[in-house]
Amino acid sequence: MTRAKVVVLGATGFVGRNVRDRLALDGHEVHGLSRTGGCDLLDLPAAWRQIEHLRPDYIVNCAAFVGSVNFVSDFAADVVDVNMRMLLNTYKIAQQMREAVLINPIANCGFPGGLDVYREGDLWDGPLDPSVKSYGATRRMIDVLADCYRRQYGVRSANLFVPNMYGPYDSHNPNKTHALNALVIKFVTAAKSGAEEVEIWGTGRPVREWLYVKDLARLVSRVVSEGGFNGEPVSVAQNHGLSVDEIAALIAERVGFKGRLRRNTSYGDGSPRKVMDDTLFRGRFPDFTFTPMDQGLEETVAYYRGTIA
Ligand SMILES: NC(=O)c1ccc[n+]([C@@H]2O[C@H](COP(=O)([O-])OP(=O)(O)OC[C@H]3O[C@@H](n4cnc5c(N)ncnc54)[C@H](OP(=O)(O)O)[C@@H]3O)[C@@H](O)[C@H]2O)c1
């Protein structure tokens, strides 16, 4: 294993904290940066001053202005504006540090909304789902930036397409929390307070692929430890999905919630089904094992139980 120097952008966020912890556990020299920590990616000179002297081998880009489907719709213009400027500045920084590999976990809402199964080559093969148009478009732009900065400036990017994630360290703000964690928080809160009802946003029917965030963190650390990546995007894929209702039932059982589910269909569902093809992933990382859903949920419920009064 190669010990690397790694900068994690967005290190205070849900994904960034998990990635930072795993890299440190695996013995890498980790520098976690974020907006509130003084590295505002909207301010290129200031961000450059924070990163320049570190001369990292890798930059893991977990910085984003993002939240629930509602959030990216309500704040659509800001989501496009802030995320594009952050990405443009991140690539300007990478351009000055050609020795650093930029690792981008890319949310799969950048894929066409009409597809059932997402294959890496299909990213541009159709329109985005309207519910995530703002954020999804900025995720597609990572593909453009990675390609253009490689061609002109030799910047190396490792693009990982990633499904919905769950696990510790997510925000408790209902407009920011990610779908499965939001459900865990609702069920844990209901079980603690003895509430008889839990509200589910949407119909409960959409099928999603769910990835335990610590699996992504483990994979990012492996890419860093192995010191290489051939530059082709790959999906962190299991080719398996569960509906929101199925997930809700698993969580309810785990927390011992015996009440009713109330569906609030004033919230949209987004794409009916999102599952990721795992052919490339299996070829690239044949021995990688994903955390079983039971175990991931167990750990996630335990974490949020500990954070809710
Ligand atoms: N969560 C998922 O299920 C999922 C799935 C697939 C891919 N991803 C991708 O993973 C990445 C991180 O998502 P997340 O869920 O971890 O988001 P998050 O919890 O909202 O964290 C966002 C991070 O970005 C930082 N940030 C925001 N504005 C910034 C700015 N102007 N300058 C510097 N840093 C800034 C925040 O720092 P402060 O706290 O200091 O403001 C925070 O550390 C995104 O690219 C997302 O698309 C996430």
Side-chain angles (χ1 to χ4, degrees), residues 281-295:
F281 184 83
R282 284 285 142 232
R284 190 86 53 84
F285 303 101
D287 57 338
F288 189 86
T289 52
F290 290 94
T291 303
M293 191 83 191
D294 272 359
Q295 186 188 332

Side-chain angles (χ1 to χ4, degrees), residues 117-233:
V117 180
Y118 295 170
R119 292 181 183 81
E120 289 84 347
D122 295 342
L123 185 68
W124 294 90
D125 283 358
L128 297 156
D129 188 273
S131 64
V132 290
K133 189 173 187 177
S134 61
Y135 192 62
T138 69
R139 297 310 92 183
R140 281 192 181 182
M141 281 307 293
I142 300 176
D143 180 66
V144 175
L145 287 165
D147 189 43
C148 296
Y149 273 78
R150 178 186 57 78
R151 286 165 192 267
Q152 189 175 348
Y153 295 115
V155 171
R156 290 171 297 157
S157 304
N159 287 350
L160 302 169
F161 295 120
V162 185
N164 285 44
M165 284 190 278
Y166 69 98
Y169 297 151
D170 206 349
S171 162
H172 284 223
N173 173 343
N175 230 0
K176 294 279 281 177
T177 323
H178 300 86
L180 195 153
N181 290 336
L183 283 175
V184 169
I185 291 169
K186 282 182 186 178
F187 279 108
V188 168
T189 307
K192 281 198 175 187
S193 68
E196 290 176 358
E197 194 173 84
V198 162
E199 182 183 86
I200 308 274
W201 288 3
T203 65
R205 286 197 292 266
V207 171
R208 295 287 179 269
E209 185 157 323
W210 308 96
L211 175 67
Y212 191 38
V213 67
K214 292 191 181 189
D215 289 350
L216 176 75
R218 203 157 35 88
L219 187 76
V220 167
S221 185
R222 174 170 167 172
V223 168
V224 167
S225 298
E226 289 179 352
F229 195 85
N230 74 4
E232 290 300 315

Side-chain angles (χ1 to χ4, degrees), residues 19-41:
V19 166
R20 184 193 61 186
D21 283 3
R22 182 69 210 201
L23 286 164
L25 186 72
D26 289 343
H28 298 293
E29 179 184 330
V30 189
H31 299 268
L33 304 177
S34 83
R35 186 182 54 86
T36 45
C39 180
D40 185 352
L41 288 165

